[in-house]
Amino acid sequence: MDSFGTVRTEPTLVIGGGLVTDVSGYACASYRRTSNFVRVPTTLIGLIDASVSIKVGVNHRKLKNRLGAYHASLHTFLDFSFLKTLPIGQVRNGFAELVKIASVGDKAVWELLVKRRKELVETGFGFREGGEGFRAPGQEICHSPSNSHRGIETMLKLESPNLHELGLDRVIAFGHTWSPTLELTPRIPLRHGHAITIDMAYSTTLAHSRGLLNDAQRDEWFNLVSSVGLSMDHELFTEELLAASTEFIKKTRDGKPRFAVPDREFGKCLFLNDVPLDELRSVLLVHKVFVKARFGSGEGIEACVDDGDLGAEPEVYANGNSDKVHSHAQCQAEHGSCQGWRCPG
């Protein structure tokens, strides 16, 4: 920014997905303590999730969004025609955030997702060539010329009264309890949408075990995410990770877990603070048995990040061949092993 001769009030134009807008927004929040930026999101996650929030941040030492700020963009421009050329893997990635919003915040969106599901992903919500027949339901779910805005409006309603997260019972934290740890644990990180879907899937199993969802509701939820190729489990989602990530998130949530789960029907949310670790472990076993019996490994399609996410080949990230990423190779040399969130380095 110095090399461009940016002046204090001059906005930086940020065009890209959620990661780009988050990192660039954090740079703008830090530069001269605060500087303006204009946000133009180009991915589904960027359009319906990151664009709504004023949070910006970066990962640090394998910890999700450990450094960040609350810094609103000067303007945000939403153009859903970017979905015309967005890779299907990225559309699927963003679909997960709509599942989040719908599961605990908007029953109408939930019903539309269940009805249209796979077609929405494959046609880029109706914007890909030949998919025009699905554009109307896609618009109704994400954004609408009639200003019903469903998905975005729900996010705004949930976020606007609590932009600085002073209230810690956050509906949109559904799927974001264990996923911040799980997402960065594999050698090649999971895509955000797949990580939060694993979290949501486990949370749905927890809600079912508590009698908050019946068998039919549980099956409807799992069938939806399975039909679009999202992940439901991962081999590294273990009892050890479950315990560690629960403790991590309690620090973020002022000492309480505040587990967000669907409450007897989709579109409603309940926060659980009375779930002991032994119950979490037993539910994890039930979850893994259920997923394996119904869906095999539970691994989704294109679940891990690629060069489009990272701006470099994933092996570069995994091998630590950049001074800008966590070096697994260096950790292995110095400590004998590198175990992601447990890494001593």
Side-chain angles (χ1 to χ4, degrees), residues 101-211:
I101 296 166
S103 296
V104 290
D106 195 319
K107 187 175 182 180
V109 171
W110 173 263
E111 292 173 349
L112 286 167
L113 293 178
V114 169
K115 184 177 180 179
R116 301 294 183 177
R117 58 181 75 196
K118 191 175 181 180
E119 293 86 355
L120 292 168
V121 172
E122 292 178 344
T123 67
F125 282 71
F127 281 91
R128 296 178 75 91
E129 185 176 353
E132 293 81 4
F134 295 97
R135 188 170 300 180
Q139 288 180 327
E140 188 173 1
I141 291 168
C142 296
H143 72 118
S144 171
S146 65
N147 291 323
S148 64
H149 296 298
R150 292 202 182 277
I152 293 178
E153 182 186 34
T154 300
M155 280 290 292
L156 284 170
K157 285 181 178 179
L158 294 171
E159 278 281 85
S160 295
N162 192 31
L163 287 174
H164 292 86
E165 297 183 329
L166 299 179
L168 297 177
D169 286 341
R170 302 173 59 245
V171 173
I172 60 172
F174 179 54
H176 291 70
T177 295
W178 302 282
S179 64
T181 303
L182 177 61
E183 182 175 336
L184 300 180
T185 294
R187 180 172 176 271
I188 305 295
L190 290 169
R191 280 182 162 150
H192 181 67
H194 287 266
I196 69 168
T197 306
I198 294 169
D199 188 313
M200 291 188 289
Y202 174 71
S203 299
T204 299
T205 304
L206 175 60
H208 177 263
S209 74
R210 287 250 170 156

Side-chain angles (χ1 to χ4, degrees), residues 14-22 40-43 45-46 50:
V14 178
I15 304 174
L19 186 151
V20 171
T21 58
D22 277 0
V40 183
T42 60
T43 64
I45 280 186

Side-chain angles (χ1 to χ4, degrees), residues 26-58:
Y26 179 61
C28 290
S30 304
Y31 188 69
R32 294 198 178 103
R33 297 190 179 92
T34 181
S35 56
N36 292 325
F37 73 110
V38 173
R39 182 166 49 188
V40 183
T42 60
T43 64
L44 186 55
I45 280 186
L47 287 161
I48 57 97
D49 185 72
S51 66
V52 177
S53 174
I54 68 169
K55 294 180 293 183
V56 293
V58 296

